[in-house]
Amino acid sequence: MNEKPSITADTLGVLLQRVLSSASQVLTSAADLAPYQQNCEGNAGLTQVVVVIGVTADIKAVLALASAQANSTQAFSVHPLSTGRNWGYCSARPNDAAAVILDLSKLNTITCDDPVLGIFTVTPGVTQQDLRHFLNQHQLKFMVPVTGAGPGCSILGNALERGYGITPYTDHFAAVNCIRGVLADGTVFRSAVAELDQSPDDFIDKTYKYGLGPYLDGLWTQSNLAVVTEMTIRLKADPEAFSAFYLQFASEHQFEQAQQIVFTILQKLEGVVGSVNIMDQRRVAAMMAPNPNGPAAHQVMSEQQVADIARAYDIPAWTIAGTLYGQKTVVKAARREVKRFGAGQCSKMVFSDGLLIKFGKALLQLLPAAMLTNPRKMLSSLDAGIKIMRGYPNQVALPLAYWRNPRVKADTSQLLNPAADGCGLLWYAPLVPMRSDAMRRFIEHVRLVCPQYGIEPMITFTSLKHDMVDSTIPIVFNLADPVAVAQAHACLDELVSKGLKQGWVPYRLNLAQQASLLDAKLPFWQISAKIKQALDPHNIISPGRYQPE
C-alpha cells in the first residue's frame, strides 16, 4: 500500500475540478462511487474520488496536479482504468486508498487508419461491441479480437493485460503495432519512428510493431508506468471459409490422446487453426446446466450429479474445441487433416459446417419449442460460441460467473455485469508446458486442491502455442457468504503456491497476489523499480501495481 498523507475527498474534488475542463467530471458521492466499489473478489471498496475523463488533455491536467501536490499534505495518486470490467482480477479497484480513479471509458473513438490493411486506432473506452458496431456500420470485413469477458470490455485494456482469445490473432498484444500515452510528468510519448516521420499522415508507425531503438511499448503492459491514451492494432480480415470443430472423448483416461491431437493440430496446421481449447466434463457441465446443489451452496458436485448432467446434455469426459480459418480449399483440406488426426481416437467429431449440426437445427425448427429443451440449449450455446470464434462478441461465457450467485440469475438477453450483480469470481491462470505428463499432473493438482475448499474444479486448457498452454481455472463462489469468500481466496493461494513449485506460473495476477508474490529484492523487480523511479519519481500512477514496494 502506498503511504501518503491523507486528504479528504471533498478537498481533493475541489482541487481537481479547478484544473479540469467542462468535458470531465469529478465524482465523490456514495451513489456515484458505488459502481467503482463493486468487484467479484470480495474486497472492500476503497475509492473516494473518481474523475470521468472527457478529453485527453484533462489526463495531463490531473497528472500535473498530482505532481505539484506530491510532497504536500494534499498528495494523491491516480489509477487509470479503461472500462473497469477486469472481473476476477480486481474489477475497477485500485490498491491505493488515496488513488483517484481516472475513468477513461468516455474516450471511445475508433479510427480506421487503412481499410485495406486492417489498421485501426482505438482509445481506452472502446469495447468489443463498439468495435464490432463500427466495422458493421462501415462495412469493413474484419474480426474483433474477442474474449469471453463479454461485449462491454475494453479492447485496449485487454491488450495491456496481455490477454488472448480464440480468433486467429490469439495473442492480443502481439497484434498491437503502437501505443501512445502520457507519463506521470505530463510527457506525451510516441515511438522513435513517429518522431522521425516527416510525412503528413504519420502512418508507418502504426504498421510496424517494434519501431526503432529500444522497444518501449512493452513497458506499458502489466505495469504502472504510464497512462495509455491510444493503441493501434492490426485486425484479421474475415476469412473466406470457417469451420469450428469439436472432438469428444468419452473416457477420462483419454486425456493424453486428446492432448496429443491438440499438439499435432497446432503444430501441423499453424496459420490455419486458431486457438484450441480442451475442457473437462465439469467445466462444460457448469456452462450448460444450473448448479444441482443450488447457487447458494458452497459444495462440489458429486460424481453422480456430474454423470446425470453429462447424460442429459451428452457431455463427454473431455472436449476439444477449435477453429479453422482461411480460403475454402485450405479449410477443406485442414478439416480433412483434423479428421485424420482424430480418427479412431474420439468418440465423436462434430464440425460447425457439418451435416449433423445442419440436420439438428432443421429438426428442431420443425418441432414444438417445448420439445428437446436440452438439445436446443446446446445448439444455442454452440451458435453463440461460433459467433465468438468469428469475431462477434457475446455473453456466452459470462453465465459461468453466476453459477453460485443465489441473488441474480444470468439472463443473456440483458447486459450482464458480474461485479454489479454480486458474482464471486477469482481466476487461477497458470502457464503449463504442452506435455501430457505436466498437464496430467496439473489436472490432479486442481482436482485435489479445489474440493478441499468447496470449489468446483473446472478445467480448461487454452493453447497459446503448440509448446505451451494457459489453464484458466474459474474459482466461482457465493460472494454473500463470508465463509465461501475466505475459502475461495485460500483455495487460490494454495493452487498458486503449490503450482509454483511445479513451474506453473500465472500469466497475470490480481492485486492481492501482486502484493504477496512479487519480491522487491529480486533483480527483475529492482530493475523495474529503477524504471519506475525514472519515469514516475513521486509514485503517482497506480502505486503497487505490478511493482512491489
Side-chain angles (χ1 to χ4, degrees), residues 475-495:
I475 298 175
V476 182
F477 56 97
N478 180 0
L479 196 62
D481 179 352
V483 173
V485 174
Q487 289 280 81
H489 282 269
C491 179
L492 178 58
D493 289 345
E494 183 167 342
L495 285 170

Side-chain angles (χ1 to χ4, degrees), residues 70-86:
N71 295 315
S72 75
T73 57
Q74 297 178 328
F76 65 95
S77 64
V78 302
H79 180 71
L81 56 87
S82 299
T83 61
R85 291 170 178 157
N86 199 17

Side-chain angles (χ1 to χ4, degrees), residues 304-333:
Q304 186 59 55
Q305 287 173 323
V306 176
D308 291 343
I309 294 172
R311 191 179 307 109
Y313 290 91
D314 189 26
I315 303 170
W318 293 99
T319 301
I320 292 175
T323 47
L324 302 171
Y325 305 88
Q327 295 299 103
K328 288 180 181 179
T329 54
V330 173
V331 169
K332 185 177 180 180

Side-chain angles (χ1 to χ4, degrees), residues 36 46-47 78-79 81 90 92-97 99-101 511 542:
Y36 301 89
L46 300 173
T47 305
V78 302
H79 180 71
L81 56 87
C90 67
R93 182 178 177 267
N95 60 345
D96 179 6
V100 172
I101 283 183
L511 295 180
S542 297

Side-chain angles (χ1 to χ4, degrees), residues 283-454:
R283 179 65 178 261
V284 179
M287 293 167 63
M288 299 304 304
N291 189 338
N293 295 314
H298 189 69
Q299 67 184 90
V300 176
M301 287 188 290
S302 69
E303 294 296 332
Q304 186 59 55
Q305 287 173 323
V306 176
D308 291 343
I309 294 172
R311 191 179 307 109
Y313 290 91
D314 189 26
I315 303 170
W318 293 99
T319 301
I320 292 175
T323 47
L324 302 171
Y325 305 88
Q327 295 299 103
K328 288 180 181 179
T329 54
V330 173
V331 169
K332 185 177 180 180
R335 198 171 179 271
R336 283 198 304 269
E337 290 297 285
V338 171
K339 284 186 175 181
R340 184 170 69 86
F341 298 150
Q345 300 188 71
C346 358
S347 55
K348 187 184 294 184
M349 286 190 197
V350 178
F351 290 84
S352 62
D353 54 349
L355 291 177
L356 182 62
I357 296 295
K358 292 177 181 177
F359 175 76
K361 289 181 178 179
L363 177 63
L364 291 177
Q365 286 179 347
L366 296 174
L367 296 174
M371 292 184 65
L372 300 175
T373 54
N374 286 354
R376 288 182 190 278
K377 184 173 182 179
M378 290 183 68
L379 279 174
S380 174
S381 179
L382 182 66
D383 281 343
I386 288 170
K387 287 179 180 176
I388 283 272
M389 295 171 183
R390 302 200 73 161
Y392 288 82
N394 61 48
Q395 302 186 118
V396 65
L398 279 182
L400 183 66
Y402 292 74
W403 204 63
R404 285 189 176 178
N405 186 338
R407 295 162 305 285
V408 180
K409 185 177 180 180
D411 178 3
T412 54
S413 67
Q414 306 293 322
L415 186 62
L416 298 178
N417 185 319
D421 292 338
C423 297
L425 177 66
L426 295 166
W427 290 102
Y428 176 43
L431 303 167
V432 182
M434 178 63 100
R435 295 197 299 258
S436 60
D437 59 337
M439 294 171 74
R440 175 60 79 177
R441 283 189 288 108
F442 178 81
I443 293 164
E444 293 169 354
H445 166 60
V446 172
R447 290 178 177 172
L448 175 65
V449 172
C450 286
Q452 295 176 22
Y453 296 92

